[in-house]
Every structure is written in C-alpha cells, then in structure tokens.
Amino acid sequence: AADMWSSGCILGELLKGEPIFKGSSTMNQLDKLMEWTGKPTAQDIAAINSSFAATMLQGLPPLPYPEGRGFAEMFPNAPPDAIDLISRLLTFSPDKRLTAEEALRHPFVSQFHSPADEPICEHSITLPISDDVKYSVAEYRDSLYSEIVRRKKELRRRARERDLQRAARQGVVG
C-alpha cells in the first residue's frame, strides 16, 4: 500500500511538475497532505498500524479543510481520469487504497495494461524497519543496506545449497 501511495505522489508530480506535498518538516508535510486529503478518520489512522504515525496525526491542529480541498483543485488541467486515479492512490487508509492490480486496470492507464507481462506478487512485502521509530536518514539508509546485504548472503547460501543438491543427485559430488 505504501508503494501505491508513492505511485500517487509520482503521478501527481508528473502532472504538476513539482513535489505535491513539499514540506519543511514532518509535521509541516502532514499539514500539507491533510489540506488535500482531508483529516483521516480514527479507522484510517488505525489501518496504518503505526503508533508513531498515530501520535503525529493526533498532534495536528484543526484543519481549515477538514474534508480536504480535493485534487481537482490541485491539478486543474488534468483529465478527470487522472484526478480519479490520484484520489484513489492517495487515499489515507491503506485498506481503501487501490492495489497495483486495480491501478493497472484504471481507465487513466488501462491503455498500457498488459496482463500477460505483469506478474502478480502473491505475498505481502514488508520492510524490515519499524514505522514506530523515527530514524535519521543515515540510520534508515544503514538499516536498509544491512538488510539488503543480509538478504543477498541468504540467497547466495540457498543457491549454493541447491547447486550442491543438484550435483549430488547427478553424482558429481566434489
């Protein structure tokens, strides 16, 4: 769901030609985001499953646009299908946001949709970094890098084991 949010931001930036939620701090960015999406419900906040995010959202002052201004105002020259897709990708609750498969079938991008060339991931992908901890950029980068290195070593080990098993089955034990 986080990647679909990112896809909505990227589409918005392509249409607008600049970042759409550019903020000077995390709280300022949340203010800008809520201005357009509206204030999330308690259910929406719970769906994020992050106490850190919930705490930050509860700290926001009352919003001048509790329902959000709407993306048609942000993108006045965009086609209605583009506005609809952005609105459905930038839905606050990950449970209500479009999936990749749904987004690919959306009318705005359906001309590029090729089901035969689009494999579907059958499992959830979860970053191994807690959303309940605020990391510095360096800590976040180092943590991701360490996880990538760990995962690569694990995949190499599994490949060696498969190669040894294959060689043993073929009677080519070294």
Side-chain angles (χ1 to χ4, degrees), residues 7 12 16 30 35 68 86 92 100 104 106 110 113 119 133 166:
S7 297
K16 193 168 181 172
L30 281 173
E35 177 182 347
I86 288 172
F92 194 87
L104 287 168
H106 190 276
S110 64
H113 182 40
V133 177
R166 190 176 305 120

Side-chain angles (χ1 to χ4, degrees), residues 9-170:
C9 289
I10 292 166
L11 177 58
E13 289 176 17
L14 288 169
L15 290 171
K16 193 168 181 172
E18 63 185 23
I20 57 174
F21 301 125
K22 188 175 180 182
S24 57
S25 68
T26 303
M27 292 303 283
N28 180 254
Q29 190 171 30
L30 281 173
D31 283 338
K32 291 179 182 295
L33 188 148
M34 299 300 143
E35 177 182 347
W36 298 99
T37 64
K39 186 172 181 171
T41 66
Q43 287 175 316
D44 292 340
I45 294 171
I48 293 175
N49 201 24
S50 168
S51 58
F52 178 68
T55 301
M56 292 192 72
L57 290 166
Q58 290 166 351
L60 289 174
L63 302 172
Y65 302 95
E67 302 299 318
R69 290 172 65 178
F71 291 110
E73 186 179 339
M74 182 184 277
F75 306 105
N77 299 319
D81 282 347
I83 301 296
D84 182 67
L85 180 57
I86 288 172
S87 298
R88 297 177 76 196
L89 291 171
L90 297 180
T91 296
F92 194 87
S93 171
D95 297 337
K96 297 175 186 172
R97 205 173 296 148
L98 288 180
T99 65
E101 293 82 15
E102 291 166 337
L104 287 168
R105 291 190 303 267
H106 190 276
F108 185 67
V109 294
S110 64
Q111 67 181 331
F112 306 108
H113 182 40
S114 175
D117 280 345
E118 297 162 3
I120 296 173
C121 182
E122 299 294 336
H123 63 278
S124 293
I125 298 172
T126 306
L127 289 177
I129 298 174
S130 173
D131 272 347
D132 288 332
V133 177
K134 184 171 178 156
Y135 294 99
S136 69
V137 172
E139 290 170 325
Y140 192 78
R141 181 188 58 236
D142 292 347
S143 182
L144 279 176
Y145 181 75
S146 295
E147 181 60 24
I148 290 167
V149 169
R150 186 197 67 74
R151 181 81 171 128
K152 280 185 158 186
K153 286 180 182 177
E154 175 66 19
L155 291 172
R156 284 188 201 117
R157 183 189 63 74
R158 287 182 190 173
R160 279 193 306 272
E161 287 176 3
R162 277 193 309 271
D163 291 345
L164 287 172
Q165 290 172 352
R166 190 176 305 120
R169 282 193 305 271
Q170 295 172 351

